[in-house]
Amino acid sequence: TDEAANHDEL
Amino acid sequence: MNIFRLAGDVCHLVAIIILLLKIWRSRSCAGISGKSQVLFAIVFTTRYLDLFTVFISPYNTIMKVVFLALSYATVYLIYMRFRNTFNSENDSFRLEFLLVPVIGLSFLENYAFTPLEILWTFSIFLESVAIMPQLFMITKTGEAESITTHYLFFLGLYRALYIANWVWRYHTEGFFDQIAVVSGVVQTIFYIDFFYLYVTKVLRGRGKMTLP
């Protein structure tokens, strides 16, 4: 799933 | 980036600075749970391992470094600099009750079974319960200095603002991070009774918050 790609939140 | 997330990050930063200044200026960490602060340092460490591998934005990188530095500085002050003022007998929450289920869950529920992803999931789940030792200490001592309640207020507000951020991102960009959202809601729920006490006792009473 795309969330795993890059966690852009702190 | 949206206003809710920015406000949330600012609240988070304010909370950490409030606590650090309180300990530094009063040269005491009485009433502060060192265990919670250790858990927060672990949360930041396991979440920001991608600090050197993934570049999102200057803001993202700078905030990660700031959060890591301030959280370790807080732990240092509690356990090293002012350790003689640390009342460990009140800070008696059993961390294994938090760490074991959080570690287990992060292996079961994650987006990818890779070390970085499992550690990220672990940090998300751990953050939702990391404040428990502090809340437990307050119920045990039956009171909290008003500065400590301001710290908790901003800490609770930060994740509540993140929930608004997730609602906003869902409607504007279809973004939905289920693990972060579920964990963030649980985390904010833990603060609800504190928010009630904060508004009724501290803001009106202008004094210490004594639990009923």
Side-chain angles (χ1 to χ4, degrees):
Chain A
T1 58
D2 66 334
E3 287 87 4
N6 63 331
H7 298 298
D8 63 345
E9 296 182 337
L10 289 175
Chain B
M1 175 57 81
N2 59 66
I3 185 62
F4 301 109
R5 181 143 62 107
L6 192 59
D9 291 339
V10 168
C11 283
H12 198 184
L13 188 60
V14 164
I16 294 173
I17 290 173
I18 285 177
L19 186 69
L20 198 55
L21 280 183
K22 179 243 184 254
I23 296 174
W24 180 254
R25 289 187 23 203
S26 69
R27 309 185 77 72
S28 159
C29 49
I32 305 296
S33 162
K35 290 183 175 178
S36 277
Q37 297 313 311
V38 168
L39 290 180
F40 283 124
I42 294 171
V43 165
F44 290 133
T45 307
T46 51
R47 189 175 305 179
Y48 298 158
L49 291 172
D50 63 352
L51 180 63
F52 304 109
T53 56
V54 174
F55 179 77
I56 306 279
S57 69
Y59 169 81
N60 186 273
T61 303
I62 291 169
M63 290 298 273
K64 284 177 175 176
V65 171
V66 166
F67 281 157
L68 278 166
L70 294 183
S71 65
Y72 277 100
T74 304
V75 170
Y76 166 76
L77 289 186
I78 292 172
Y79 284 101
M80 314 280 252
R81 194 77 172 65
F82 302 124
R83 67 180 170 284
N84 51 351
T85 66
F86 176 55
N87 44 12
S88 57
E89 66 280 350
N90 281 338
D91 195 7
S92 57
F93 196 95
R94 304 290 302 279
L95 290 189
E96 48 273 36
F97 291 165
L98 298 179
L99 290 170
V100 171
V102 162
I103 290 171
L105 196 59
S106 56
F107 275 92
L108 288 176
E109 179 63 36
N110 51 58
Y111 292 134
F113 205 78
T114 62
L116 263 181
E117 202 51 39
I118 289 178
L119 284 168
W120 177 85
T121 309
F122 165 77
S123 89
I124 292 286
F125 292 151
L126 183 61
E127 186 186 5
S128 62
V129 294
I131 200 62
M132 295 312 279
Q134 181 66 65
L135 297 178
F136 179 75
M137 178 187 254
I138 289 177
T139 55
K140 203 171 167 212
T141 56
E143 66 173 12
E145 288 180 65
S146 61
I147 192 75
T148 309
T149 61
H150 299 319
Y151 158 71
L152 289 169
F153 172 72
F154 282 104
L155 199 60
L157 184 60
Y158 127 74
R159 213 58 178 172
L161 286 167
Y162 254 72
I163 292 173
N165 150 65
W166 289 319
V167 171
W168 177 268
R169 288 189 75 180
Y170 180 71
H171 286 297
T172 53
E173 52 188 283
F175 173 90
F176 181 63
D177 183 342
Q178 182 180 359
I179 286 176
V181 170
V182 172
S183 182
V185 169
V186 167
Q187 177 173 337
T188 306
I189 287 173
F190 286 138
Y191 283 88
I192 287 176
D193 68 324
F194 165 76
F195 283 142
Y196 172 75
L197 285 171
Y198 182 76
V199 172
T200 55
K201 296 264 183 175
V202 177
L203 294 190
R204 299 219 178 104
R206 281 263 175 269
K208 279 193 177 197
M209 180 174 92
T210 51
L211 298 184

